[in-house]
Amino acid sequence: MCSRSMASKTPVGFIGLGNMGNPMAKNLMKHGYPLIIYDVFPDACKEFQEAGEQCLGFSLEILLLCAKSLGHVRHFCVVSSPADVAEKADRIITMLPTSINAIEAYSGANGILKKVKKGSLLIDSSTIDPAVSKELAKEVEKMGAVFMDAPVSGGVGAARSGNLTFMVGGVEDEFAAAKELLGCMGSNVVYCGAVGTGQAAKICNNMLLAISMIGTAEAMNLGIRLGLDPKLLAKILNMSSGRCWSSDTYNPVPGVMDGVPSANNYQGGFGTTLMAKDLGLAQDSATSTKSPILLGSLAHQIYRVMCAKGYAKKDFSAVFQFLREEESF
Amino acid sequence: MCSRSMASKTPVGFIGLGNMGNPMAKNLMKHGYPLIIYDVFPDACKEFQEAGEQCLGFSLEILLLCAKSLGHVRHFCVVSSPADVAEKADRIITMLPTSINAIEAYSGANGILKKVKKGSLLIDSSTIDPAVSKELAKEVEKMGAVFMDAPVSGGVGAARSGNLTFMVGGVEDEFAAAKELLGCMGSNVVYCGAVGTGQAAKICNNMLLAISMIGTAEAMNLGIRLGLDPKLLAKILNMSSGRCWSSDTYNPVPGVMDGVPSANNYQGGFGTTLMAKDLGLAQDSATSTKSPILLGSLAHQIYRVMCAKGYAKKDFSAVFQFLREEESF
Amino acid sequence: MCSRSMASKTPVGFIGLGNMGNPMAKNLMKHGYPLIIYDVFPDACKEFQEAGEQCLGFSLEILLLCAKSLGHVRHFCVVSSPADVAEKADRIITMLPTSINAIEAYSGANGILKKVKKGSLLIDSSTIDPAVSKELAKEVEKMGAVFMDAPVSGGVGAARSGNLTFMVGGVEDEFAAAKELLGCMGSNVVYCGAVGTGQAAKICNNMLLAISMIGTAEAMNLGIRLGLDPKLLAKILNMSSGRCWSSDTYNPVPGVMDGVPSANNYQGGFGTTLMAKDLGLAQDSATSTKSPILLGSLAHQIYRVMCAKGYAKKDFSAVFQFLREEESF
Amino acid sequence: MCSRSMASKTPVGFIGLGNMGNPMAKNLMKHGYPLIIYDVFPDACKEFQEAGEQCLGFSLEILLLCAKSLGHVRHFCVVSSPADVAEKADRIITMLPTSINAIEAYSGANGILKKVKKGSLLIDSSTIDPAVSKELAKEVEKMGAVFMDAPVSGGVGAARSGNLTFMVGGVEDEFAAAKELLGCMGSNVVYCGAVGTGQAAKICNNMLLAISMIGTAEAMNLGIRLGLDPKLLAKILNMSSGRCWSSDTYNPVPGVMDGVPSANNYQGGFGTTLMAKDLGLAQDSATSTKSPILLGSLAHQIYRVMCAKGYAKKDFSAVFQFLREEESF
């Protein structure tokens, strides 16, 4: 997938070096791509210094030369705006927290579109409203460049190990080019259809995930109160029609499985705040397409209440804890 | 599991020969157990005449003699009340539609308890309120007999092919005896714990099933409206964290899978009415144990509305159809 | 309403002297009815000693004599079982916390039905499942007596001031006799129809109350977050189509109204646990009649979660607090 | 309220002459304001010819002259874009169906902002997202003009009779000037606070209305199934804590009240589609402010399903019909 000789690798832009973007960018660098990086918080770029060799004050030519001559050395260059990234790289990946950040990075005063080159490939891995993705795609197209949405599933762990799943929307002809880069960061790169369908697939998956997680928590809690042993109940569900990822891979009840957040006081994993955000996107999409999502909406509201009641930073499987009777009352 | 020689098989009682009970009883008979059968609707027993040889007017001794001498011939005897079943058999299976029917069969004027023999094993495979199961168990115990609840999962097809799953609650010492019989009708016989836990496991599974089915229908419908191809979306969900039995084995969207009710206008399968009934049991159990079931309650109500709006006899995956925009308005 | 001369007043039985029953019974006594009282907790009867003159060791005849000769003196007699109450009084009021307690008081080993006299009038003011009311009515009728359900609305304050509302179900011919007694304890006595309809009316009212209270809390909270002043928003709602008892008489937002639980840290009023109980009854009735209650079920679950999260003893308007962002996270 | 002498009345712009805008504009004209009108559908303006005297080909000066000289004659002038309205009038009312239409009317290629005069007062009576109102207000302010949001409650009937309620958001100093105009079209003009709070009040009211309407429908349906007479149940609710506008003024059960949509097969009134739209706005506002709206979200989804199932054009009280068991299945 990343089989081209290193010597031919031109720099790739990477905007947004947060918890997810940081390990993703490093994986790209490990595969030999020199990076042009930017983050609104300059500190976010500092961490790169231990992961690669920063080219300070070097021109792009020197960066490329470095890449050619040294081969195995990892290089990156920090610049001061998305526009500067676009000036130096014709393939750019963005990984940002919200629709607003993505709009700013593309269409802002110093955004990518200010200096994007014709024919550039812009891949947005943020999870945002598919309607915003389509809007950005139109603006990018006007500049003669190509936009693809490629949100990820899998958390920080998968980002580090390069095992993310990318769901990609955009013109099919450009999918191969996108896959060359995304394949360095993920083990699964799925083409979903026209621009926005990557987001759509992500949103639908996470809505179903939230629903089945809450459902699993409710069923486990009810069963326990009815006298069932949690491990046995999980085993029965997992060989029956109630089986789902939340019951068989990420069970929310402490003591049922090892190596999941419920085994570690719901630390790590996929935060309740993030789930609430994704459910907000699902809600927005459902409202604008007039699609009824009875359980999806309720799941959204449950995670909103959890955020308000002190569960914001816990893994989303903490809904089991939220539903349980508190002992100290 | 059913390996004892036929000669040693004493008659087994079977009460309730409806859509499920009928094929279950026949499977028991195929394994060489002479049956003493009863149903409130006498016609329900008629169908047995083609499946075995009815012993009319014969005494129990003759029935047993038949069983011994003929071996491979299947015998059954129709009696006129649950009490009569209890008089002639010390192992009885009941398969009835509601809690009320079960109470009548056990504690009614001509119920099992009127003539049950000490040491009898009474197995109730009806899906009923676990609180009722516990109540029946107490009454049975007073008579010196043993009660186990053993509701099934899997529909008419699994009943016919002997592939049901039994979830069994009751005294663990008696489980082997129950399994001898249940193993003739199902491929999976799971011990769940004390009396009532079989029902509890069944109810919890079906509640989670309903939730994930509605969730799958919502996610698929939303994705389609956002421009995704249904087959592709199902594939993505099934390799991601949204995966569940309803998405990967029983997908509710026509055209995604073959051999499921959605491929056949939602005919066959597990009816919406039955799902509404099971969710009513989940609701009752949750109310009496004060367990919050936010999504479970809403799923219950959705199936109630579906029953009121003409979906009563369709498979429960028809919730996808219920959520879709109707075209003719 | 209570216009008969005192001399003619025969004793009335009163079973259940809890927070509600106690002031209710006292009001009856104030209207000149000698009482035969019973409570499973003997201490509950002790408080009566300051409210009236206890007849210890006197026979019923003496009690009646007292009533006749003294007129204005308030008399009561404590007995040791519901059966004993039924022996001494042919009009009995029961005020008990749950269906199980009511069944015990009527049909238990020392229940009313053991010694009820023909022609007695038995009025149950407990809030219980209407199906249980109907069942009790049947049993009472078999003994030649009359049963009416007459649950109340209005809390402890209304019980003290004699301003309860009674919703009465039963044979219409007996309504006048029931009203004679109930009118001493409430300012509103409404005939609702056949046995069980009193409960039905109570349950329907409280379900709608819970829904509109949560709705008011959500609307007020959303409006406040959108920048509206709470008092002004309440005023606007109350002159518009969003107006409801929860918005104009019992507003859940601190600072909007005086003299309501929200003005006093949600103390007093109608407890969250009691609301959860009534919603459980609504749920049971809806399940058994197959009536969809989408919002009613969700309201039920919300109050269940609140009970589990430490709001059990607060007034049910504390749902506003439950939905708010906590400040200390 | 509209007490200035007619001679002093300068023309008022009115954009959006749909079902609501049309009678509103006519009421303004009846109060002596010459109108400059525009609608994207030219036919919408034609109906005005019978209501007033159209000034064809006349200049603004002539229009004003007419107004002065004729006094009681009603005048209006049709122009061909919002920009043209802004050129001829310094007070403009907009009444449009969605946020998108409002953005187009203000910021579009031929929008108001292209030719708005300094000091103009622009009042938007559309029901749209408060966030959009705030955005428009900012743009209007940049041009030196003033923007207020003033959505209405009350339907077409109230628009015709001049009895609308206006909820007004904007700078308080300008409220008197807005009230002069709005008072000609409504009997209630309420100041709500900063820009956007008019929308916020409207949205909160309609969300609570939807919740209490569905709650009323559920409670009435449940009560009827439990044997209560609908009229009696309504009476009981209305004197108890379940009382709300939907139960006492707009009861959804046929036969309970006269003169409401439920008495006329749910025709007329406030359409289910419009309620679904307003709930979508409530949802958007709640999502963006992270306010949990558990019942509000579910109410939204219920109206979405109703739209999909053939209830789109019926009054929103038809939810009672939606919940009932259909007879013909």
Side-chain angles (χ1 to χ4, degrees):
Chain A
M1 199 170 286
C2 298
S3 56
R4 296 186 185 185
S5 80
M6 290 216 171
S8 73
K9 286 179 182 166
T10 59
V12 171
F14 206 108
I15 297 170
L17 296 154
N19 291 335
M20 292 294 291
N22 198 297
M24 286 166 68
K26 283 179 184 164
N27 274 328
L28 209 50
M29 202 162 60
K30 279 184 203 160
H31 278 82
Y33 291 95
L35 296 189
I36 312 295
I37 66 178
Y38 170 75
D39 194 286
V40 279
F41 300 107
D43 282 0
C45 298
K46 280 196 183 155
E47 221 192 305
F48 258 71
Q49 300 185 354
E50 57 190 51
E53 189 165 316
Q54 188 171 2
C55 303
L56 292 164
F58 290 100
S59 70
L60 180 61
E61 289 68 31
I62 292 176
L63 180 66
L64 290 173
L65 188 65
C66 290
K68 278 184 195 160
S69 61
L70 301 174
H72 58 286
V73 178
R74 297 153 183 177
H75 287 88
F76 69 96
C77 175
V78 181
V79 296
S80 55
S81 75
D84 288 353
V85 175
E87 194 177 28
K88 291 189 165 57
D90 59 4
R91 290 179 295 178
I92 303 175
I93 291 164
T94 50
M95 185 66 185
L96 300 156
T98 69
S99 294
I100 292 165
N101 301 119
I103 291 169
E104 183 67 22
Y106 283 84
S107 313
N110 292 305
I112 292 171
L113 295 179
K114 289 284 186 256
K115 296 192 183 170
V116 67
K117 299 177 204 166
K118 287 208 174 178
S120 289
L121 174 62
L122 311 180
I123 302 174
D124 181 36
S125 283
S126 319
T127 295
I128 59 173
D129 190 330
V132 173
S133 300
K134 287 181 190 171
E135 203 54 49
L136 293 177
K138 274 187 206 162
E139 295 182 32
V140 168
E141 203 182 348
K142 282 183 200 160
M143 309 297 292
V146 172
F147 177 90
M148 303 189 97
D149 56 308
V152 302
S153 96
V156 171
R160 283 194 191 122
S161 63
N163 284 312
L164 293 166
T165 294
F166 287 90
M167 304 173 212
V168 186
V171 180
E172 193 157 10
D173 289 349
E174 304 288 342
F175 179 59
K179 197 172 174 179
E180 182 194 323
L181 297 180
L182 301 176
C184 302
M185 302 179 282
S187 48
N188 244 323
V189 184
V190 188
Y191 181 68
C192 296
V195 161
T197 55
Q199 299 294 352
K202 168 81 186 284
I203 282 173
C204 291
N205 181 72
N206 281 17
M207 184 177 84
L208 182 49
L209 169 60
I211 291 169
S212 51
M213 175 54 82
I214 299 172
T216 301
E218 291 182 4
M220 293 293 299
N221 186 40
L222 176 59
I224 292 166
R225 292 210 186 191
L226 290 171
L228 284 159
D229 172 76
K231 276 197 171 183
L232 178 60
L233 176 54
K235 190 184 137 199
I236 293 171
L237 294 176
N238 292 340
M239 67 199 217
S240 309
S241 49
R243 164 180 62 76
C244 59
W245 185 87
S246 296
S247 70
D248 69 16
T249 303
Y250 207 85
N251 200 289
V253 181
V256 168
M257 296 179 70
D258 292 328
V260 290
S262 63
N264 190 26
N265 199 24
Y266 303 105
Q267 292 180 338
F270 183 54
T272 290
T273 313
L274 288 171
M275 182 51 99
K277 177 207 152 192
D278 285 3
L279 289 168
L281 293 174
Q283 185 73 68
D284 289 346
S285 294
T287 300
S288 61
T289 58
K290 301 185 180 172
S291 313
I293 51 165
L294 292 143
L295 298 191
S297 274
L298 183 49
H300 179 201
Q301 301 308 315
I302 292 168
Y303 279 110
R304 286 276 174 240
V305 174
M306 285 178 63
C307 286
K309 295 289 111 176
Y311 293 79
K313 291 177 183 165
K314 294 194 174 189
D315 179 68
F316 79 114
S317 64
V319 65
F320 175 75
Q321 201 181 44
F322 177 67
L323 295 173
R324 297 211 83 178
E325 186 79 39
E326 283 183 13
E327 281 155 31
S328 55
F329 286 99
Chain B
M1 196 172 286
C2 297
S3 56
R4 294 185 186 184
S5 81
M6 287 212 175
S8 72
K9 285 176 181 168
T10 60
V12 171
F14 206 107
I15 296 171
L17 296 155
N19 291 336
M20 292 294 290
N22 199 297
M24 286 167 67
K26 282 178 185 164
N27 275 329
L28 209 50
M29 201 162 61
K30 278 184 203 161
H31 278 83
Y33 291 94
L35 296 188
I36 312 294
I37 66 177
Y38 170 75
D39 194 287
V40 278
F41 300 107
D43 282 0
C45 298
K46 279 194 183 158
E47 221 193 305
F48 258 72
Q49 299 185 354
E50 59 190 51
E53 188 166 317
Q54 188 171 2
C55 304
L56 290 164
F58 292 102
S59 70
L60 180 63
E61 289 69 31
I62 293 176
L63 181 67
L64 290 172
L65 189 64
C66 289
K68 278 182 193 159
S69 59
L70 299 175
H72 58 287
V73 179
R74 296 154 182 176
H75 287 87
F76 69 96
C77 176
V78 182
V79 297
S80 56
S81 76
D84 289 353
V85 174
E87 195 177 27
K88 291 187 165 59
D90 60 3
R91 292 179 291 179
I92 303 175
I93 291 163
T94 50
M95 185 65 185
L96 300 155
T98 68
S99 295
I100 291 167
N101 301 118
I103 292 169
E104 183 66 23
Y106 282 84
S107 311
N110 291 304
I112 292 171
L113 295 179
K114 288 286 186 255
K115 297 192 181 169
V116 70
K117 300 175 204 167
K118 287 207 173 177
S120 289
L121 174 62
L122 311 180
I123 303 173
D124 182 36
S125 283
S126 319
T127 296
I128 60 172
D129 189 331
V132 173
S133 300
K134 287 181 190 169
E135 203 55 48
L136 293 176
K138 274 187 205 161
E139 296 183 33
V140 167
E141 203 183 349
K142 283 182 198 161
M143 309 297 292
V146 173
F147 177 91
M148 303 190 95
D149 57 308
V152 302
S153 94
V156 172
R160 283 195 191 122
S161 63
N163 283 312
L164 293 166
T165 293
F166 287 90
M167 304 173 210
V168 186
V171 180
E172 192 158 10
D173 289 350
E174 304 290 340
F175 178 60
K179 196 172 175 180
E180 183 195 324
L181 298 179
L182 301 176
C184 303
M185 301 179 283
S187 47
N188 244 323
V189 185
V190 188
Y191 182 68
C192 296
V195 161
T197 54
Q199 299 294 353
K202 167 80 185 283
I203 282 172
C204 291
N205 181 74
N206 281 16
M207 185 177 84
L208 182 49
L209 169 59
I211 291 168
S212 51
M213 175 55 81
I214 300 172
T216 301
E218 291 182 3
M220 292 293 299
N221 186 40
L222 176 59
I224 291 166
R225 291 209 186 193
L226 290 171
L228 284 158
D229 172 76
K231 278 196 169 183
L232 178 60
L233 175 54
K235 191 184 137 197
I236 293 170
L237 296 175
N238 292 340
M239 66 199 215
S240 309
S241 50
R243 165 179 62 77
C244 60
W245 184 88
S246 296
S247 70
D248 69 16
T249 303
Y250 206 85
N251 200 288
V253 181
V256 168
M257 295 179 72
D258 292 328
V260 290
S262 63
N264 188 27
N265 199 24
Y266 303 106
Q267 292 181 339
F270 183 54
T272 290
T273 314
L274 289 171
M275 182 51 99
K277 179 206 151 193
D278 285 4
L279 290 168
L281 292 173
Q283 184 73 67
D284 289 346
S285 295
T287 301
S288 61
T289 58
K290 299 184 181 173
S291 313
I293 50 165
L294 292 143
L295 297 191
S297 274
L298 183 48
H300 179 201
Q301 301 308 316
I302 292 168
Y303 279 111
R304 285 274 174 242
V305 174
M306 285 179 63
C307 287
K309 295 288 111 177
Y311 293 80
K313 291 176 183 166
K314 294 193 174 189
D315 180 69
F316 80 114
S317 64
V319 65
F320 175 74
Q321 202 181 42
F322 177 67
L323 296 173
R324 296 210 84 178
E325 185 79 39
E326 285 184 12
E327 282 156 31
S328 56
F329 286 100
Chain C
M1 200 169 283
C2 296
S3 57
R4 296 185 185 187
S5 80
M6 287 212 171
S8 73
K9 286 179 179 165
T10 59
V12 171
F14 206 109
I15 298 171
L17 297 154
N19 290 335
M20 291 294 290
N22 199 297
M24 286 166 69
K26 283 178 184 164
N27 275 329
L28 209 49
M29 201 161 62
K30 278 183 203 162
H31 278 83
Y33 292 95
L35 295 189
I36 313 294
I37 65 177
Y38 170 74
D39 194 285
V40 279
F41 300 106
D43 282 0
C45 299
K46 280 195 183 155
E47 219 193 306
F48 258 71
Q49 300 186 353
E50 57 191 51
E53 188 166 317
Q54 188 171 2
C55 303
L56 290 165
F58 290 101
S59 72
L60 179 60
E61 288 69 31
I62 294 177
L63 179 66
L64 289 173
L65 189 64
C66 292
K68 277 181 196 161
S69 60
L70 301 174
H72 58 285
V73 178
R74 297 156 181 172
H75 286 88
F76 70 95
C77 176
V78 181
V79 297
S80 56
S81 75
D84 289 352
V85 174
E87 195 176 29
K88 290 189 168 54
D90 59 4
R91 291 180 292 179
I92 303 174
I93 291 163
T94 49
M95 186 64 185
L96 300 156
T98 69
S99 295
I100 292 165
N101 301 118
I103 292 169
E104 183 67 22
Y106 283 85
S107 312
N110 291 305
I112 292 172
L113 294 178
K114 288 285 187 257
K115 296 191 182 171
V116 69
K117 297 176 206 167
K118 286 207 173 176
S120 290
L121 174 63
L122 312 179
I123 303 173
D124 182 35
S125 282
S126 320
T127 295
I128 60 173
D129 189 330
V132 173
S133 298
K134 287 181 190 170
E135 203 54 51
L136 293 177
K138 274 187 205 161
E139 295 183 34
V140 168
E141 204 184 348
K142 281 183 199 160
M143 308 297 291
V146 172
F147 177 91
M148 301 190 98
D149 56 308
V152 303
S153 94
V156 171
R160 282 192 192 125
S161 63
N163 285 312
L164 293 166
T165 293
F166 287 90
M167 304 174 212
V168 186
V171 180
E172 193 158 11
D173 289 349
E174 304 288 343
F175 179 58
K179 197 171 174 181
E180 183 195 324
L181 298 179
L182 302 176
C184 303
M185 302 179 283
S187 48
N188 243 324
V189 185
V190 188
Y191 181 67
C192 297
V195 160
T197 54
Q199 299 295 351
K202 167 80 186 285
I203 282 172
C204 290
N205 182 72
N206 281 16
M207 184 177 83
L208 182 50
L209 169 60
I211 291 169
S212 50
M213 176 54 83
I214 300 172
T216 302
E218 292 182 3
M220 293 293 299
N221 187 40
L222 176 59
I224 292 165
R225 292 209 186 192
L226 290 171
L228 283 158
D229 172 75
K231 277 195 171 185
L232 178 61
L233 175 55
K235 190 184 137 198
I236 293 171
L237 295 176
N238 292 340
M239 66 198 214
S240 311
S241 50
R243 165 180 60 78
C244 60
W245 185 89
S246 296
S247 69
D248 68 16
T249 304
Y250 206 85
N251 200 288
V253 181
V256 168
M257 296 178 70
D258 292 329
V260 291
S262 63
N264 188 27
N265 198 24
Y266 303 105
Q267 292 179 339
F270 184 55
T272 290
T273 313
L274 289 172
M275 182 50 101
K277 177 208 152 191
D278 285 3
L279 289 168
L281 292 174
Q283 184 72 69
D284 289 347
S285 294
T287 300
S288 62
T289 58
K290 300 184 180 172
S291 313
I293 50 164
L294 292 144
L295 298 191
S297 275
L298 183 49
H300 180 202
Q301 301 309 314
I302 292 168
Y303 280 111
R304 286 275 174 242
V305 174
M306 284 177 65
C307 286
K309 295 288 109 177
Y311 294 80
K313 291 176 184 166
K314 295 195 173 188
D315 179 69
F316 79 113
S317 64
V319 64
F320 175 73
Q321 200 181 45
F322 177 66
L323 295 173
R324 295 209 85 177
E325 186 79 39
E326 284 182 12
E327 281 155 30
S328 57
F329 286 98
Chain D
M1 200 169 282
C2 297
S3 56
R4 296 185 184 186
S5 79
M6 288 215 172
S8 72
K9 285 178 180 165
T10 59
V12 171
F14 206 108
I15 297 171
L17 296 154
N19 290 334
M20 291 294 290
N22 198 297
M24 288 167 68
K26 283 178 185 166
N27 274 328
L28 209 49
M29 201 162 58
K30 279 184 205 163
H31 279 82
Y33 291 95
L35 296 188
I36 312 295
I37 66 178
Y38 170 75
D39 194 285
V40 279
F41 300 107
D43 282 0
C45 297
K46 279 194 186 161
E47 220 193 307
F48 258 71
Q49 300 185 355
E50 59 191 49
E53 190 166 316
Q54 189 170 2
C55 304
L56 292 165
F58 291 100
S59 70
L60 180 62
E61 288 68 31
I62 294 177
L63 179 68
L64 290 171
L65 188 64
C66 291
K68 278 181 195 162
S69 60
L70 300 174
H72 58 286
V73 178
R74 296 154 181 174
H75 287 87
F76 70 94
C77 177
V78 181
V79 298
S80 57
S81 75
D84 288 354
V85 175
E87 195 177 27
K88 291 187 166 56
D90 60 3
R91 291 180 292 179
I92 303 175
I93 291 164
T94 49
M95 185 65 184
L96 300 156
T98 69
S99 295
I100 291 165
N101 301 118
I103 292 169
E104 182 67 22
Y106 283 84
S107 313
N110 291 304
I112 293 171
L113 296 178
K114 289 287 186 251
K115 296 192 183 169
V116 69
K117 298 175 205 167
K118 286 208 173 175
S120 290
L121 173 62
L122 311 180
I123 303 174
D124 182 35
S125 282
S126 320
T127 296
I128 60 172
D129 190 332
V132 172
S133 300
K134 288 182 190 168
E135 203 54 49
L136 293 177
K138 273 187 205 161
E139 295 182 35
V140 168
E141 204 183 349
K142 281 183 200 160
M143 308 297 292
V146 172
F147 177 92
M148 303 190 96
D149 57 310
V152 302
S153 94
V156 171
R160 283 196 191 121
S161 63
N163 285 311
L164 293 167
T165 293
F166 287 90
M167 304 173 211
V168 186
V171 179
E172 193 158 10
D173 290 348
E174 305 288 342
F175 178 58
K179 198 172 173 179
E180 182 195 325
L181 298 180
L182 300 176
C184 302
M185 301 179 282
S187 47
N188 243 323
V189 185
V190 188
Y191 182 68
C192 297
V195 160
T197 55
Q199 299 294 353
K202 167 81 186 283
I203 282 172
C204 290
N205 181 74
N206 281 16
M207 185 178 84
L208 182 49
L209 169 60
I211 291 169
S212 50
M213 175 55 81
I214 300 172
T216 301
E218 292 183 3
M220 292 293 300
N221 186 40
L222 177 59
I224 292 167
R225 292 209 186 193
L226 290 171
L228 284 159
D229 172 75
K231 277 195 169 184
L232 179 62
L233 176 54
K235 191 184 137 197
I236 293 170
L237 295 176
N238 292 340
M239 67 199 218
S240 309
S241 49
R243 167 178 60 78
C244 60
W245 185 88
S246 296
S247 71
D248 69 16
T249 303
Y250 206 86
N251 200 289
V253 181
V256 168
M257 297 179 71
D258 292 327
V260 291
S262 64
N264 188 26
N265 199 24
Y266 302 107
Q267 292 179 338
F270 185 54
T272 290
T273 313
L274 289 170
M275 182 50 101
K277 178 208 152 191
D278 285 4
L279 290 167
L281 292 174
Q283 184 73 68
D284 289 346
S285 294
T287 301
S288 62
T289 58
K290 299 184 182 174
S291 312
I293 49 165
L294 291 143
L295 297 191
S297 274
L298 183 48
H300 179 202
Q301 301 309 314
I302 292 169
Y303 279 111
R304 285 275 175 242
V305 174
M306 284 179 64
C307 286
K309 297 287 110 176
Y311 294 79
K313 291 176 183 166
K314 295 194 175 190
D315 179 69
F316 79 113
S317 64
V319 64
F320 175 74
Q321 201 181 44
F322 177 67
L323 295 173
R324 296 209 84 178
E325 186 79 40
E326 286 183 10
E327 282 154 31
S328 58
F329 285 100

